[in-house]
Amino acid sequence: MTDLRAISFAEVALDGLDEVEGRLAVVVSPEGALSPGARRLNRLTKGALGRAVESAPFGKLSPGEALTLAWPSGLIVEALDIVKLARRPALIEARKAGGTLARLAGKSALTVLVEATRLPEEIALGAALRSYAFTARKSKPDEAPAAAVLMVKAPDEAQAAFAASHAVAEGVAFTRDLVSEPANVLTTTEFAARLEALRDTGLEVEVLEEDKLTELGMGALLGVGMGSAMPSKVVVMRWKGAEGAPLALIGKGVVFDTGGISLKPAQGMEDMTMDMGGAGTVAGVMKTLALRKAQAHVVAMVGLVENMPSHMAQRPGDIVTSMKGDTIEVINTDAEGRLVLADVMWHAQESEQPSAMIDLATLTGACIIALGHDNAGVFSNDDALAGDFLKAAAAEGEGAWRLPLGKSYDDLIKSQKADMKNVGGRPAGAITAAQFLQRFVKDGMPWIHLDIAGVAQVTKDTDLSPKGATGWGVMALDRLVRDRFESH
């Protein structure tokens, strides 16, 4: 796994700041009031810090942004970063501040005078997340960034609070690694092996091979993988930190999606290495829950397949039988993720009797057209569960927007030859995909479908990640588990 920046907390030590190497940062309130550490640095820099804080550029900064003094007089550091942040910042602002500092520091060592500013653990989390870089496939992979030290008023308390945050960072990084891997490395077999390695965290992991999937009747999932030399699999991960019915998390794990016989255009097809983003997010959530010893019962299932064209591949017009027993007319083999999810969702309900179920998938380009790259699509049959998830996503700064379901949309996937067809045409494509999945949700089962096609991987930097895989959803789902499903 990609190594994250090592972060620790220390007592505030004003003597010796002129001997700090690497990069130095100080938190200053929007009002410009200088803390003891900032006053010390102001003296060392012969008033340069104070002039910077009083300047128009500092005044125009948003919370969490920074103004940089390069090679400041009186210090040996390469730069002094002045971070604008309230003494009692919002959680998202604190993380943004950490992300800003990590971006500016690059690989350099980082010392931050946080002092009495609240939420130092969230500043640290932002720094850890933004320090991520996937370089494992380079001939000479990058080393992890140098360590960061946050000087705070109560370092032991901050270190204890950061333990849970660090578990989240580890989960996000695991998801980003999985989504970033090329398909010739992250085959279905390799993916399953990496999930099996999570047993070291305390998770129970079981791999269901093709003979078992055939026995279970997973004709929809198996049909997707028929054209590939890679075996289709379902991996089950269990974290039993509490008694009672579990929350079920379901992930689409298409390790590469050519579209099958309904072949995608060549331009952009290389991005389809991320079509296992739903399974990657689910895996990251489960790693986080295990690392922080969550007092919750959560079961995750991911369907791992590869969608390839070959003489064995599924054809448009084929009719497959799902584990539920419903038949599906395959109109477009590029609408394969819903076929995978249908069988895994049904198996989860049959075998686990969960209290609620959430599936995640990079499911439709239509969702990107509707919401762009700032929000995942949220579909649900349960207002309370959907509301709790949207609240969790907002609190974690992960964009999510609820879209409708309804009979008129469901009518679009009716088939003359089978119980349903796997596409409903171009109009409302993200919604008809969700309607398809809802047919595999048992009556009375609270359910959310998350279409993460637009947010799993992005083409520009964000506050907390470089361009590429984001790990979207790990933080929101972890918070949902803490707020709704964890016993306290």
Side-chain angles (χ1 to χ4, degrees):
M1 184 185 130
T2 299
D3 291 327
L4 296 173
R5 185 189 294 271
I7 299 176
S8 60
F9 300 85
E11 294 277 1
V12 178
L14 302 186
D15 292 335
L17 290 178
D18 55 343
E19 299 177 357
V20 170
E21 297 181 349
R23 206 165 182 113
L24 181 60
V26 60
V27 175
V28 176
S29 70
E31 300 77 24
L34 300 185
S35 65
R39 291 196 296 271
R40 172 69 169 167
L41 289 172
N42 191 42
R43 290 193 294 273
L44 288 170
T45 59
K46 296 179 173 57
L49 185 148
R51 291 191 296 273
V53 169
E54 294 171 359
S55 71
F58 184 82
K60 293 178 181 178
L61 294 178
S62 297
E65 294 180 340
L67 185 65
T68 297
L69 301 180
W71 301 107
S73 175
L75 301 173
I76 64 172
V77 292
E78 61 194 61
L80 173 62
D81 299 312
I82 308 166
V83 188
K84 188 176 187 178
L85 192 66
R87 184 172 179 182
R88 294 177 178 270
L91 179 145
I92 294 173
E93 293 172 351
R95 289 180 183 171
K96 181 179 178 180
T100 296
L101 293 174
R103 175 179 56 80
L104 293 172
K107 299 292 185 181
S108 298
L110 176 63
T111 302
V112 187
L113 272 170
V114 179
E115 299 182 89
T117 299
R118 298 285 298 275
L119 300 180
E121 71 278 6
E122 300 300 339
I123 297 174
L125 175 58
L129 292 175
R130 189 59 182 83
S131 296
Y132 175 91
F134 182 78
T135 65
R137 299 302 139 219
K138 292 185 177 183
S139 58
K140 295 181 180 179
D142 293 351
E143 294 182 357
V149 177
L150 278 62
M151 292 186 178
V152 298
K153 185 177 180 180
D156 291 342
E157 292 178 15
Q159 195 73 57
F162 183 56
S165 297
H166 192 261
V168 173
E170 291 280 320
V172 172
F174 187 57
T175 296
R176 290 177 181 176
D177 278 353
L178 291 171
V179 174
S180 299
E181 288 283 21
N184 62 320
V185 173
L186 194 72
T187 63
T188 57
T189 300
E190 173 63 15
F191 200 155
R194 293 195 187 189
L195 299 185
E196 287 186 285
L198 291 177
R199 290 178 181 136
D200 292 342
T201 67
L203 287 172
E204 297 177 18
V205 183
E206 178 185 10
V207 180
L208 307 182
E209 303 290 353
E210 285 188 345
D211 55 350
K212 181 62 175 180
L213 304 183
T214 300
E215 180 185 325
L216 288 169
M218 291 193 181
L221 180 150
L222 289 168
V224 174
M226 285 170 52
S228 175
M230 293 295 108
S232 298
K233 302 172 184 282
V234 170
V235 180
V236 183
M237 295 167 277
R238 295 184 175 88
W239 176 255
K240 194 168 184 181
E243 298 298 324
L247 166 66
L249 301 177
I250 314 298
K252 170 190 170 184
V254 179
V255 296
F256 194 79
D257 181 20
T258 65
I261 297 300
S262 304
L263 195 66
K264 292 178 180 292
Q267 184 175 4
M269 196 194 291
E270 67 276 9
D271 290 336
M272 287 300 100
T273 56
M274 50 74 73
D275 210 22
M276 39 55 64
T281 300
V282 166
V285 174
M286 296 303 288
K287 182 171 185 176
T288 293
L289 297 178
L291 288 176
R292 70 174 183 82
K293 308 299 181 188
Q295 296 180 17
H297 188 189
V298 183
V299 174
M301 295 190 186
V302 297
L304 307 182
V305 302
E306 185 177 38
N307 189 21
M308 297 287 282
S310 78
H311 69 292
M312 294 293 291
Q314 185 167 255
R315 298 153 292 241
D318 283 1
I319 295 176
V320 296
T321 302
S322 67
M323 182 181 173
K324 179 186 176 186
D326 288 351
T327 57
I328 304 163
E329 183 182 8
V330 179
I331 302 299
N332 187 332
T333 63
D334 194 24
E336 84 299 332
R338 64 203 70 182
L339 301 176
V340 174
L341 289 171
D343 277 346
V344 181
M345 287 166 59
W346 195 257
H347 179 56
Q349 293 168 96
E350 289 280 282
S351 63
E352 306 296 332
Q353 292 83 48
S355 61
M357 179 169 63
I358 301 173
D359 76 80
L360 293 90
T362 51
L363 204 63
T364 67
C367 194
I368 302 177
I369 299 302
L371 298 176
H373 295 281
D374 294 317
N375 289 283
V378 180
F379 304 82
S380 182
N381 63 1
D382 188 283
D383 290 342
L385 181 61
D388 285 348
F389 175 78
L390 289 168
K391 182 179 178 182
E396 295 295 321
E398 295 193 311
W401 195 262
R402 191 174 181 184
L403 293 169
L405 295 166
K407 183 179 183 303
S408 61
Y409 298 114
D410 195 76
D411 289 343
L412 296 175
I413 58 172
K414 288 182 177 179
S415 168
Q416 288 185 318
K417 295 182 179 180
D419 295 324
M420 70 194 82
K421 54 187 179 180
N422 73 328
V423 293
R426 287 179 62 83
I431 301 174
T432 54
Q435 289 291 164
F436 179 95
L437 294 177
Q438 190 175 29
R439 291 188 175 211
F440 296 89
V441 178
K442 293 187 175 185
D443 290 342
M445 174 61 61
W447 161 74
I448 293 175
H449 161 57
L450 298 174
D451 192 330
I452 64 172
V455 295
Q457 182 168 283
V458 295
T459 58
K460 61 181 180 180
D461 293 355
T462 73
D463 290 341
L464 300 181
S465 68
K467 66 180 181 180
T470 63
W472 184 100
V474 173
M475 293 190 295
L477 287 169
D478 176 65
R479 179 175 283 267
L480 179 69
V481 170
R482 281 191 281 124
D483 291 349
R484 181 181 172 113
F485 295 97
E486 195 161 357
S487 57
H488 299 284

